[in-house]
Structure formats: structure tokens, C-alpha cells
Amino acid sequence: MLDIQFIRNDFPILSKEVYGKPLIYFDNAATTQKPRSVVERIEKAYYNVNANIHRGVHFLSQAATEAHENARKRVQRFINAASPNEVIFTRGTTEAINLVASSFTDAFMEEGDEVILSVMEHHSNIVPWQLQAARKGITIKVIPINAKGELYLDSYRELFTERTRLVSVSHMSNVLGTINPAEEIIKEAHAHNAPVLLDGAQAVPHMQVDMQGLDVDFYVFSAHKIYGPTGMGILYGKEDWLDKLPPYQGGGEMIATVSFEKTTFNELPFKFEAGTPDYIGSTGFAEALEYVDRIGIDAIAAYEHELLEYATRQLKQMEGMRIFGEAAHKGAVISFLLKDTHHYDMGMLLDRLGIAVRTGHHCAQPLMKELGIEGTVRASFSFYNTKEEIDQFIAGVERVAGMF
Ligand code: PMP
């Protein structure tokens, strides 16, 4: 059992009022709030160990380097990667996917080769591949979904050809909440000698992920969605793959030697980390993972599931309610539309009641097209949310319904 009131004290923003009403923050899929310990760790790092890292002989630089590299090891432990060399710091999920799309396509894809995505992908797992399609003539194939918002695995199997080079799908959908069957997806791809990239932006904050257990080739996520700072994220890659991929960006840190005739590249993980990294953010990120570990990801998952069921049950009782995404295996995200109330109106009116939800296409326009809608209202929960907040939210939705 989690002591939610105790936990909420760690998040000062949750005591805020908006329009004179207590803030109810249900936009956690977009970004999560930060516990005091994360902000304090960042403040402490700036005040005590701020110096550019790597190659510094002086005390502060060495201390900052150690903190940054310890953060990498912290991430490694959190996702059970085999080595810290497999953890590349990026600006976030988006940059990590762009890195793989660019470097993998450069090294391993020819015109006519194929990458498999799914219809529920976030734009950040579509557009980088389209850029490569335009540049190199690769082909994108798309796994469809059923009415509950689950991937059609039979169709997935049929998409493979001898030109399939990679599968890149979300581990959990930011719109439907669907948690995709990663193990099956990976096994099938490996049977066709294709590596798999999982977009874990939504999965990592809500469930245990295990790189070695999954046997996944690439995995990406953002710190800000798991209670850490913005502008920071991770590319996990199996060392074998990362060794084979060419660098993504050039600059300092990623080189071994440079002359105008020839440059040699640094070893992993630095080969993919051009320029001064966010060595302060990384320590905040590490603290966020410590925080999540202290609460326990399994306890978090169980409690958030309870919130999801509690809210879903009540929403479903409303006349004219449409919920998008009813997968058997689902995370704490609910997308819905009520009668013909526009999602934007619903979001604006809930906002006036102090309730923060997200509205629109959620960076998943192809999925909206598939569902035949322009957008949804999305409520997404965290372990610091409560059933009382859900009651307020339900009352708010009912009130808006009454206005239309
Ligand atoms: N993938 C998914 C499934 C997401 O939900 C998001 C964020 N909404 C992203 C990718 C992009 O993450 P970021 O903006 O942090 O790079």
C-alpha cells in the first residue's frame, strides 16, 4: 500500500491552486511533476560540482564526471542493461529515435529495404523514418490494430519479407494506453533476423522494463516522463549493435583523434555523445530513478491500474461516452470523447475547474485517422493521483456534458 498523501508532499506543485481551485494534474503522459529530491539534486550539483566533465584534471571536473558516469550506471541498473556502455544519454526519446533511424539506415539499409512500424506510433517514431525514406528510399510498413486498440499480431507476421531490416514500435501507446506484447514482437522479428527498437516513453514510468529479459535491441525513453528533468533521455542499444552503427553527430567528446585528413571515433558510449552532455540533468535523472525505486515500480503499477479501473468504470456509465483503447493489457491513460462535445471544449472547461487534461491528436495523427476522429480528451494518471481527484474529474466531465 502506498501512502499517497505522504508521497504528494514530495511534489510541491500538487498543492498549487489554479483559478482558485486545487490543481488536479491528469496530464502525466505528457510530462510528470518532479519530486523535491530531484530538484534538490540538480541545485546541489550546480552549487557543488559544476565543471565540464571528461578530460578535466581538476577536482571539480573529476567529481562532475564521476556523478555523470554514476548516473549512467544508475540507468543501467534500472533497465537491467548488461553494461553502462549500452546507455547513451540523449535529449530525449525523440532524439534517441532519430539517432537510430539515421545511423541504422546509413549502415544497414538500401533503397527498397523495409522498416515495420505500427499505426499507434507517436510522430517521433514515424517522421524520423519518413526522413530516411525520402533520403534513401526505404519503405515503411504499418501494423494495424483491432477495435480494442491492440496490434494485430497475425498481420504483423505477414509484414515480414526478405527486405525487412528493423521493427520499431511503441512499448505503450500514449493515446490508447495499450501495452504491446514486446516479447512476442521481438521473438518474431528476431526469427526474421530483424532487430527491434521499442519506444518506451510511456512504458518506463509505469512498469518494470528489463533489457536483458526482453532481449530487445534498442530501447528509448525520456527522463521527464519518469519524474526527471526535461531535455534528457536514453538510447539503450545492445553493445554489438552500437559498435556497428556509425556516429550520429560529430563534435567534441565523440572522437578519439582528429586531424584534417582523418578522424577516429571514441569508444562506447561516447561515440554517440557529441558535445558537452547535460551532466547536471543526468544526476537529477538518476535521483528520479532512485525515487521511483524507493516507492517500487510494482507498487506504482498496481496502484495506477486501480486508478485506471476506477476512472474507466465511472466514465463508461455516462451516456454517449466513447473510450478509445480497451486493450486487455493497458496502462493508466484514458482517451475519450463524450457525445459530440469537441475535445477542445471539454479540455478548456475542465481546465476552469482546475483539472489538467490533454486534448488533440496527441502527436498521433495517423492513429486519429484510423479511429476516424480528429482528437480526444486524454486523462493520464500517476502514483501521486487519488481516487478523490478522479471523483472531481468525473463530476467535471458530467458538468460539461450537461452544458452541451
Ligand atoms: N513516444 C511516445 C509514445 C510519447 O508518448 C512521447 C511523448 N509524448 C514521445 C515518444 C516523445 O517524447 P519526447 O518528446 O520526450 O522526446
Side-chain angles (χ1 to χ4, degrees):
M1 281 291 281
L2 303 181
D3 184 342
I4 306 302
Q5 286 315 318
F6 189 76
I7 285 171
R8 286 176 71 86
N9 290 336
D10 291 336
F11 294 82
I13 208 169
L14 298 178
S15 317
K16 211 176 146 58
E17 292 197 339
V18 292
Y19 311 115
K21 309 246 169 23
L23 169 70
I24 295 180
Y25 187 76
F26 283 173
D27 195 18
N28 294 288
T31 199
T32 51
Q33 301 304 342
K34 316 306 168 199
R36 242 179 255 281
S37 60
V38 168
V39 179
E40 284 169 3
R41 175 80 80 98
I42 291 169
E43 186 187 38
K44 234 176 170 173
Y46 270 124
Y47 287 157
N48 295 291
V49 281
N50 180 40
N52 208 331
I53 58 167
H54 298 144
R55 302 175 317 277
V57 290
H58 61 82
F59 178 87
L60 270 191
S61 176
Q62 289 187 15
T65 304
E66 195 181 327
H68 184 64
E69 292 309 321
N70 281 342
R72 194 188 305 277
K73 287 182 195 144
R74 190 71 197 77
V75 176
Q76 177 207 347
R77 281 208 306 284
F78 193 80
I79 61 175
N80 192 29
S83 151
N85 291 346
E86 298 182 323
V87 175
I88 312 293
F89 284 119
T90 66
R91 282 196 300 118
T93 303
T94 303
E95 188 180 52
I97 296 175
N98 275 279
L99 190 166
V100 177
S102 171
S103 294
F104 188 90
T105 307
D106 271 351
F108 295 106
M109 294 183 88
E110 301 293 335
E111 188 176 344
D113 281 349
E114 296 162 359
V115 56
I116 296 178
L117 312 179
S118 89
V119 75
M120 69 173 79
E121 296 314 308
H122 189 279
H123 294 162
S124 65
N125 192 28
I126 299 174
V127 184
W129 300 106
Q130 287 175 330
L131 293 177
Q132 296 308 320
R135 206 169 64 82
K136 219 165 171 183
I138 65 169
T139 302
I140 293 168
K141 293 186 145 187
V142 183
I143 315 168
I145 51 170
N146 65 21
K148 287 170 144 182
E150 297 164 323
L151 295 179
Y152 269 125
L153 289 181
D154 286 345
S155 306
Y156 168 57
R157 287 183 196 103
E158 285 164 13
L159 291 178
F160 284 91
T161 71
E162 74 278 3
R163 302 301 300 268
T164 307
R165 294 290 171 266
L166 185 112
V167 175
S168 186
V169 293
S170 65
H171 197 178
M172 173 176 151
S173 162
N174 65 315
V175 178
L176 305 167
T178 310
I179 297 170
N180 286 319
E183 289 86 352
E184 282 167 83
I185 290 168
I186 292 163
K187 265 195 197 121
E188 188 67 27
H190 286 177
H192 292 88
N193 291 320
V196 174
L197 183 159
L198 288 182
D199 170 358
Q202 293 297 334
V204 166
H206 304 293
M207 58 194 269
Q208 186 118 48
V209 295
D210 175 344
M211 297 303 103
Q212 295 181 80
L214 280 171
D215 194 25
V216 66
D217 304 279
F218 302 102
Y219 197 98
V220 298
F221 63 102
S222 300
H224 72 95
K225 291 188 198 275
I226 183 163
Y227 313 101
T230 53
M232 202 0 67
I234 289 301
L235 163 63
Y236 159 84
K238 280 185 185 163
E239 200 157 353
D240 273 2
W241 275 115
L242 293 180
D243 269 334
K244 284 188 267 189
L245 295 189
Y248 173 53
Q249 294 178 331
E253 304 274 352
M254 54 77 73
I255 53 88
T257 62
V258 178
S259 71
F260 279 109
E261 289 70 41
K262 185 177 164 56
T263 289
T264 56
F265 302 122
N266 205 341
E267 57 198 20
L268 289 175
F270 311 113
K271 181 172 91 174
F272 293 107
E273 294 180 351
T276 300
D278 188 355
Y279 56 84
I280 300 282
S282 63
T283 62
F285 185 11
E287 176 52 38
L289 299 182
E290 305 255 338
Y291 186 88
V292 167
D293 264 353
R294 279 201 294 277
I295 297 178
I297 194 77
D298 291 338
I300 288 172
Y303 177 69
E304 288 176 346
H305 194 70
E306 215 178 294
L307 293 180
L308 175 70
E309 297 215 311
Y310 186 74
T312 304
R313 211 178 312 128
Q314 295 187 68
L315 284 175
K316 275 182 130 176
Q317 282 167 6
M318 289 181 205
E319 202 190 314
M321 173 59 62
R322 280 196 293 165
I323 290 178
F324 299 92
E326 298 197 78
H329 203 27
K330 182 175 171 177
V333 170
I334 309 181
S335 276
F336 67 93
L337 286 173
L338 186 66
K339 297 184 194 150
D340 49 8
T341 309
H342 196 275
H343 50 86
Y344 189 64
D345 292 334
M346 175 69 80
M348 293 263 287
L349 290 162
L350 287 175
D351 175 53
R352 285 281 149 181
L353 302 172
I355 303 167
V357 293
R358 192 143 290 246
T359 62
H361 55 64
H362 315 296
C363 295
Q365 285 181 346
L367 175 60
M368 295 299 124
K369 187 169 172 214
E370 173 75 17
L371 298 171
I373 55 178
E374 278 177 20
T376 73
V377 184
R378 182 186 71 187
S380 51
F381 309 125
S382 158
F383 58 76
Y384 48 55
N385 292 129
T386 64
K387 288 188 178 168
E388 290 71 34
E389 287 181 318
I390 290 175
D391 291 341
Q392 297 281 322
F393 161 70
I394 296 292
V397 174
E398 275 168 348
R399 196 161 145 193
V400 176
M403 292 164 78
F404 284 88

